[in-house]
Amino acid sequence: MLALAWPLALTNLSQIALVLTDTLFLGRLGELPLAAATLGGNLYFIAMALPFGLAFATAAMLAQERGRVRHHMREMRRTMRQGAWLILPLFAVLGLGLWHTGAILRATGQDPALAEAAQTYNRALLWGMLPFYGFLLLRGFLAALERPWPALCVSMGAIGLNVVLDYALVAGGFGLPPLGVLGAGIASAVANASMFAALALWVSLDRRLSRFRLAGRFWRADWRRMREIIVIGTPIAGSMLLEIGIFSATALVMGWFGPGAVAAHAVALQVAGASFMVPMGIGQAATARVGLAAGALDAAGARRAGWAAISLGAGFMLLAAALLLSVPHAIAGLFLAPELAETRGLATTLLMVAGLFQLADGVQAVAAGALRGLKDTRVPMLIAALGYWGLGLPIGLGLGFPGGFGPLGVWIGLASGLGIVAVLMTLRWARLAGPGHPARLPHPGDGQNNRILSTSGLEFMEK
């Protein structure tokens, strides 16, 4: 599990490093550019929830198809093709929404200047959306083959490219005029496009990977397979939308406290998001390893993979929590100029709250990844809805406004919601993976060889 997880985690960290790079450069320009990129980025990732869900569903199907061994190259090629088909009409709709970021933010009560700057950022950033989805598909394909290194190498190269572009376009390096938030959006879009182009070239040139002929007969439809991706992927997208949405809603709430609160929230969120990339990578490895075992009808192997992943995620996040609770002021100082003393103080406080919910955030991410390996996605979405929106947001709003805690109260609500989701996700995995469950995983030696997992991961159907 660790051999597969840590390159995936580093790949995720390299991707969040693109956003962190933008944050570091924009934070030196003042509160408004940083707050604009934060609000615009939140809307961008809300729009990306459905593409992420479809990509993760495709990865889960690829893992189970490889686990079944026979004709897996043909099956995996068809799944990749239908996963690519689905994003084409989505991009037009999502791009149209992002193009009008300013109107959306003004409708939520944001400052007009802040909304206009966020729209400038998103109009540049959205051109990297389609290639980034292609990168996600190829990364899931490589994870199912337990070959995460190409995606990691490509992502690390994109960090260097983004740093150079941010220096040139945001800060005005190399004698170029500084473009501020527009430059940051262009830099990230180019970096995302380069990741897809480089990884696609890698797959086409690798002798073993090129045998899959992923682009072969691209025009042929497989409606049953497409429907399965949608059935599995829509709840994943719903779960991600609920989680991304709660942080985005929090950013909008922070806007009611002023640009300083948004900037402090941005710093704390970027740091917490960076640490989250590790358990997210472990969860992706869990999807692959649990899916491989489920496809091979190996119940014991699936259980071992899931619990090993949850243990790894919890262990790392305990270390991350210790770091955030030990030196929050120093971390805040990396992002905000010394003259922004009040904003740095608030960011320090929020970073300490982020340290308290690290363990819960990591466990729920890995448990969700393990459940995706069983194609169990609907109930996790309902758990996310209850934890984030049914309990977390109301608690945060209650503490932030009537309770008088301000931004701190909003983040305490976030921590509460994450804790609830972590407990329920872990209980869900324990129930489905446990040997005593009536719909437990089949095992070649337990008399259920004639059955395979259905789309839901909970019911069985005859071969």
Side-chain angles (χ1 to χ4, degrees), residues 95-328:
L96 181 63
L98 287 176
W99 192 260
H100 297 286
T101 292
I104 295 172
L105 291 178
R106 285 192 294 272
T108 63
Q110 301 302 313
D111 179 82
L114 190 61
E116 186 65 27
Q119 176 172 281
T120 300
Y121 178 73
N122 272 2
R123 285 187 174 182
L125 187 61
L126 71 88
W127 297 109
M129 177 186 287
L130 189 60
F132 182 61
Y133 176 75
F135 171 79
L136 291 177
L137 282 181
L138 290 174
R139 187 184 66 177
F141 165 71
L142 293 170
L145 296 176
E146 299 181 274
R147 295 188 60 178
W149 289 101
L152 174 59
C153 294
V154 166
S155 297
M156 295 299 290
I159 295 175
L161 175 62
N162 196 58
V163 170
V164 173
L165 291 175
D166 272 339
Y167 175 71
L169 301 177
V170 177
F174 307 118
L176 296 174
L179 300 179
V181 292
L182 175 61
I186 294 173
S188 293
V190 171
N192 285 334
S194 71
M195 286 194 299
F196 169 68
L199 196 56
L201 182 62
W202 191 313
V203 170
S204 66
L205 295 178
D206 186 286
R207 185 164 54 90
R208 293 182 179 179
L209 298 175
S210 62
R211 293 184 303 168
F212 284 83
R213 296 186 294 113
L214 295 182
R217 298 183 179 180
F218 188 79
W219 61 88
R220 293 189 62 177
D222 187 332
W223 304 114
R224 182 199 62 79
R225 198 176 301 267
M226 184 182 291
R227 178 182 177 277
E228 186 174 2
I229 294 175
I230 294 173
V231 169
I232 299 172
T234 302
I236 297 175
S239 297
M240 296 192 68
L241 185 60
L242 291 166
E243 184 172 359
I244 295 171
I246 193 67
F247 285 100
S248 299
T250 302
L252 295 176
V253 172
M254 290 294 177
W256 300 338
F257 294 106
V262 177
H265 171 79
V267 171
L269 191 59
Q270 293 297 337
V271 174
S275 64
F276 176 76
M277 291 299 105
V278 174
M280 184 178 178
I282 298 172
Q284 290 165 338
T287 299
R289 296 293 302 162
V290 171
L292 286 169
L297 307 183
D298 180 4
R303 281 193 291 273
R304 283 195 303 269
W307 286 119
I310 290 172
S311 300
L312 284 173
F316 174 82
M317 291 305 258
L318 284 174
L319 296 176
L323 178 64
L324 291 181
L325 292 173
S326 300
V327 289

Side-chain angles (χ1 to χ4, degrees), residues 16 22 201 206 256 280 337 369 378 382 386 410:
I16 200 69
D22 292 346
L201 182 62
D206 186 286
W256 300 338
M280 184 178 178
R378 185 176 60 85
L382 299 177
L386 172 65
V410 176

Side-chain angles (χ1 to χ4, degrees), residues 360 363-364 380 383-388 416-426:
V363 169
Q364 66 86 18
I383 290 173
L386 172 65
Y388 299 140
S416 303
L418 285 168
I420 293 164
V421 171
V423 171
L424 294 178
M425 286 285 196
T426 306

Side-chain angles (χ1 to χ4, degrees), residues 17-75:
L18 299 178
V19 182
L20 282 171
T21 303
D22 292 346
T23 302
L24 289 169
F25 276 94
L26 291 172
R28 299 299 170 178
L29 298 181
E31 292 177 347
L32 181 63
L34 178 58
T38 300
L39 291 178
N42 282 330
L43 285 181
Y44 174 82
F45 282 108
I46 287 175
M48 280 297 295
L50 186 53
F52 264 112
L54 297 175
F56 285 160
T58 303
M61 290 175 60
L62 290 169
Q64 288 207 9
E65 285 160 0
R66 184 186 172 222
R68 287 195 287 269
V69 179
R70 188 179 181 186
H71 305 308
H72 71 271
M73 293 178 68
R74 182 183 64 194
E75 298 298 310

Side-chain angles (χ1 to χ4, degrees), residues 364-439:
Q364 66 86 18
V366 179
L371 290 169
R372 285 196 296 270
L374 300 181
K375 300 183 183 178
D376 178 51
T377 58
R378 185 176 60 85
V379 173
M381 179 185 68
L382 299 177
I383 290 173
L386 172 65
Y388 299 140
W389 293 89
L391 298 172
L393 185 60
I395 291 172
L397 291 176
L399 292 175
F401 291 96
F405 285 88
L408 173 61
V410 176
W411 269 67
I412 291 174
L414 284 178
S416 303
L418 285 168
I420 293 164
V421 171
V423 171
L424 294 178
M425 286 285 196
T426 306
L427 291 175
R428 175 72 174 173
W429 166 256
R431 178 171 177 267
L432 294 189
H437 190 265

